[in-house]
């Protein structure tokens, strides 16, 4: 009897490997950071070989340090930073250029051009996505158009494209594939037919030969090379990080929602078996597709704020006002309020519902009395304020008033932030016992496929409340704060010309 599922959680700034037991508890974890590359303002890149090296290293480390033999692992689940675009040589298996990261804004002007040509509605109808540089398709097009020789090589069938899940699975198994959740984030995938869309490939001039096969999120998709861990293991769960976190939070019924506080903030609501078109500039996206007997696709509404934990990293690495990210709560709590300071963390533009790639980070209301504690508090509050705009749009689209918001991710461990989030949303915020829900979702998808867990009902029963934060802020104060926030947002917009 195998006792564990191995989840690989490949994030924007680090790679992790986590072993989960039958109860859905973390048995062991290993984590390693890798380089962030900023060639120009608004450009963000990764070296895909460094991503793989870091992921392989922590995978080996978690087994070695826990003493768990690979033969005691029932299956591997993979979850990943989404939209980040990798292009590699099919013959050598090596990247042909740096990966372009989801945060990268170099294609904003091209997206504006497509909007001016009237293509936004077609793209939204087919993909559920707002036309934006966030998604993989225009990143891939940029690579083919701007790096010498790549388009010709792509047309000869020599290159392979994938999001980070595809890249990791290729390195582990040699298979070139992705799952429905990641495919739905490329802006090349029709979420109604669940196939690559020939019209969109033609529009963006992308050769179909580049694309991976699309498989269910839960189902045995490939097996690892024997020499990777000493045994062949099934890769049986694949999902983009936010879809995986939604599954890990057991948001398995329509109307249930979660918010992940990672590098960015990502709020997703289960809307059931059919995509729900957004009238409020949110994304309609595939949540997961269950294979084998279930043969079912669940859809989500999503609103994202691009900067959350990255604001804390900026205070640590850019400003130097904290030495470790864990220090930010104590610093922010050392003052009773922000002293009138408002921080709009639009380092990479504004996400939903604004979709303004030209917005920039704004710190407004500075006085002679402003200190680093006020900046820290304003940054945390700015992370929370963004989610009010997203939740408001989500409730309008779904016609559902949220009864609670389940939260996870690194910053969800910050009690001050979670209490302020409940206050400013006027919705209870619920943090589960297991906050590693992104990796847990990938583990659940893999475990379902191999019978490690029997059903979604068994998974739902494992979810437990860790702490519940009830709203305490007075109505008038909430409205006054939100009014000031909206004024600050307007000042941040369309800044970069």
């Amino acid at each position: 009897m195998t006792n564990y599922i191995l989840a690989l959680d490949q994030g924007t700034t680090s790679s992790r490997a986590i072993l989960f037991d039958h109860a859905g508890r973390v048995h062991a974890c290993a984590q390693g950071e890798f380089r962030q590359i900023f060639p120009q303002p608004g450009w963000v890149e990764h070296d895909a070989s460094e991503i793989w090296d870091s992921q392989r290293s922590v995978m080996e480390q978690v087994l070695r340090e826990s003493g768990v033999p690979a033969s005691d692992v029932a299956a591997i689940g993979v979850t990943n930073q989404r939209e980040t675009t990798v292009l590699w040589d099919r013959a050598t298996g090596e990247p042909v250029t740096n990966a372009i990261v989801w945060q990268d804004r170099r294609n904003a002007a091209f997206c504006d051009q497509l909007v001016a040509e009237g293509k936004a509605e077609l793209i939204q109808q087919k993909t559920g996505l707002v036309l934006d540089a966030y998604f993989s398709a225009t990143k891939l097009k940029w690579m083919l158009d701007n790096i010498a020789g790549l388009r010709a090589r792509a047309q000869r069938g020599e290159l392979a494209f994938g999001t980070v899940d595809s890249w990791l699975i290729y390195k582990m198994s040699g298979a070139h594939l992705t799952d429905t959740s990641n495919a739905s984030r490329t802006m090349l995938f029709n979420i109604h037919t669940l196939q690559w869309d020939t019209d969109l490939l033609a529009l963006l001039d992308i050769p179909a030969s580049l694309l991976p096969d699309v498989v269910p999120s839960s189902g045995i998709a490939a097996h690892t090379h024997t020499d990777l861990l000493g045994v062949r293991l099934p890769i049986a769960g694949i999902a983009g990080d936010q879809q995986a976190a939604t599954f890990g939070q057991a948001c398995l019924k329509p109307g249930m929602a979660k918010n992940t506080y990672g590098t960015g903030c990502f709020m997703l609501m289960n809307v059931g078996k059919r995509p729900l078109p957004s009238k409020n500039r949110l994304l309609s996206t595939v949540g997961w597709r269950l294979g084998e007997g279930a043969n079912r696709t669940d859809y989500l509404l999503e609103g994202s704020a691009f900067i959350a934990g990255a604001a804390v990293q900026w205070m640590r690495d850019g400003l130097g006002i904290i030495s470790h990210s864990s220090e930010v709560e104590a610093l922010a709590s050392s003052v009773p309020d922000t002293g009138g300071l408002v921080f709009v963390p639009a380092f990479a533009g504004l996400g939903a519902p604004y979709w303004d790639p030209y917005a920039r980070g704004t710190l407004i209301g500075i006085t002679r009395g402003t200190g680093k504690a006020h900046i820290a508090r304003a940054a945390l509050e700015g992370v929370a304020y963004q989610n009010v705009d997203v939740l408001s749009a989500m409730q309008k689209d779904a016609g559902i008033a949220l009864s609670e918001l389940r939260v996870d991710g690194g910053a969800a461990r910050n009690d001050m932030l979670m209490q302020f989030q409940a206050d400013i949303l006027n919705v209870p915020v619920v943090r589960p016992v297991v906050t590693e829900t992104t990796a847990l979702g990938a583990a659940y998808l893999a475990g379902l496929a191999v019978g490690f867990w029997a059903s979604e009902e068994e998974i739902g029963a494992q979810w437990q409340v860790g702490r519940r934060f009830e709203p305490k802020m007075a109505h008038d104060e909430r409205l006054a704060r939100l009014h000031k926030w909206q004024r600050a947002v307007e000042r941040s917009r369309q800044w970069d010309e």
Side-chain angles (χ1 to χ4, degrees):
M1 183 67 179
T2 47
N3 292 311
Y4 303 100
I5 299 287
L6 174 60
L8 307 182
D9 181 0
Q10 204 300 301
T12 308
T13 58
S14 69
S15 299
R16 296 188 303 161
I18 303 180
L19 286 167
F20 289 97
D21 64 16
H22 279 280
R25 293 177 302 223
V26 174
H27 176 73
C29 177
Q31 179 169 348
E33 292 192 0
F34 56 92
R35 274 193 312 153
Q36 307 296 300
I37 304 167
F38 306 103
Q40 297 182 30
W43 291 30
V44 190
E45 297 178 356
H46 290 155
D47 181 333
S49 293
E50 291 180 10
I51 289 177
W52 166 238
D53 288 344
S54 67
Q55 190 66 75
R56 181 180 58 191
S57 175
V58 294
M59 180 167 46
E60 294 168 347
Q61 180 186 344
V62 78
L63 293 172
R64 182 175 66 249
E65 292 183 355
S66 67
V68 172
S71 58
D72 205 11
V73 172
I76 293 174
V78 176
T79 184
N80 54 284
Q81 53 165 317
R82 303 172 305 171
E83 294 98 14
T84 294
T85 301
V86 187
L87 194 59
W88 66 91
D89 184 310
R90 289 185 183 276
T92 67
E94 296 302 314
V96 293
T97 184
N98 276 347
I100 301 181
V101 179
W102 58 272
Q103 299 158 311
D104 188 282
R105 311 307 296 167
R106 74 186 66 181
N107 270 321
F110 175 66
C111 291
D112 291 345
Q113 178 188 327
L114 289 176
V115 171
E117 293 171 0
K119 305 300 184 186
E121 187 176 349
L122 171 75
I123 287 171
Q124 185 162 18
Q125 285 173 353
K126 287 174 174 285
T127 67
L129 307 177
V130 173
L131 206 172
D132 189 80
Y134 180 28
F135 305 106
S136 310
T138 63
K139 302 180 193 300
L140 176 57
K141 179 175 170 57
W142 188 93
M143 290 174 170
L144 298 179
D145 289 346
N146 290 278
I147 300 176
L150 291 193
R151 180 167 289 285
R153 295 193 64 200
Q155 288 167 341
R156 291 196 298 268
E158 296 173 7
L159 304 181
F161 150 75
T163 43
V164 170
D165 59 307
S166 297
W167 170 240
L168 295 180
I169 292 164
Y170 175 81
K171 297 301 280 187
M172 287 191 288
S173 71
H176 185 210
L177 52 86
T178 189
D179 88 297
T180 43
S181 73
N182 279 295
S184 77
R185 311 297 297 194
T186 60
M187 218 168 73
L188 296 171
F189 187 74
N190 190 312
I191 62 170
H192 308 281
T193 65
L194 300 180
Q195 294 178 334
W196 299 116
D197 193 281
T198 54
D199 293 340
L200 297 178
L201 291 172
L203 174 66
L204 295 169
D205 195 17
I206 291 176
S209 62
L210 286 169
L211 303 175
D213 294 331
V214 182
V215 300
S217 313
S218 179
I220 296 175
H223 286 82
T224 60
H225 296 303
T226 306
D227 60 2
L228 181 65
L229 295 171
V231 294
R232 286 179 85 238
L233 293 177
I235 302 167
I238 314 165
D241 51 11
Q242 302 315 316
Q243 289 97 328
T246 310
F247 201 83
Q249 283 276 32
C251 293
L252 304 176
K253 296 178 182 175
M256 299 180 75
K258 70 89 197 172
N259 198 25
T260 295
Y261 299 78
T263 301
C265 259
F266 301 89
M267 191 181 297
L268 292 92
M269 177 185 283
N270 188 321
V271 296
K273 309 299 177 284
R274 288 187 298 276
L276 178 65
S278 174
K279 296 182 175 67
N280 293 282
R281 311 204 76 206
L282 299 180
L283 309 179
S284 184
T285 195
V286 173
W288 44 80
R289 180 165 179 77
L290 304 182
E292 304 303 325
N295 199 30
R296 191 189 84 229
T297 305
D298 285 12
Y299 291 87
L300 308 172
L301 269 181
E302 174 176 334
S304 48
F306 298 145
I307 300 297
V312 178
Q313 288 179 325
W314 171 71
M315 286 187 283
R316 181 192 70 190
D317 302 336
L319 295 186
I321 62 175
I322 53 174
S323 300
H324 302 282
S325 297
S326 58
E327 296 169 9
V328 70
E329 183 174 5
L331 179 60
S333 300
S334 69
V335 288
D337 55 47
T338 67
L341 201 62
V342 180
F343 178 54
V344 183
F347 298 160
L350 285 168
Y354 303 102
W355 295 106
D356 180 355
Y358 305 107
R360 288 295 175 263
T362 303
L363 193 59
I364 196 164
I366 299 171
T367 68
R368 185 63 183 82
T370 300
K372 61 183 181 180
H374 297 103
I375 294 173
R377 192 174 187 104
L380 292 182
E381 290 188 2
V383 168
Y385 279 126
Q386 297 175 104
N387 297 314
V388 179
D389 302 328
V390 173
L391 181 60
S392 174
M394 194 167 280
Q395 292 186 144
K396 288 175 189 171
D397 273 340
I400 299 170
L402 204 63
S403 59
E404 66 178 30
L405 181 67
R406 295 184 174 187
V407 297
D408 54 70
R413 293 191 285 271
N414 185 316
D415 289 351
M416 193 210 98
L417 174 59
M418 292 301 98
Q419 184 58 57
F420 186 78
Q421 187 71 87
D423 287 341
I424 208 67
L425 285 177
N426 199 30
V427 169
V429 165
V430 185
R431 184 171 63 204
V433 170
V434 178
T435 57
E436 300 290 357
T437 53
T438 302
L440 180 58
Y444 279 153
L445 289 165
L448 274 178
V450 297
F452 191 84
W453 289 289
S455 65
E456 291 169 81
E457 289 72 25
E458 182 183 358
I459 285 169
Q462 289 189 350
W463 189 90
Q464 292 179 292
V465 175
R467 181 166 174 185
R468 187 177 179 92
F469 298 86
E470 295 286 349
K472 297 175 182 176
M473 189 177 288
H475 177 70
D476 289 348
E477 182 184 353
R478 183 182 308 111
L479 292 183
R481 284 173 170 269
L482 289 172
H483 175 67
K484 184 172 277 190
W485 163 252
Q486 288 297 339
R487 291 173 64 209
V489 167
E490 287 309 309
R491 283 158 173 78
S492 77
R493 298 195 62 187
Q494 297 291 321
W495 180 257
D496 185 358
E497 298 173 319

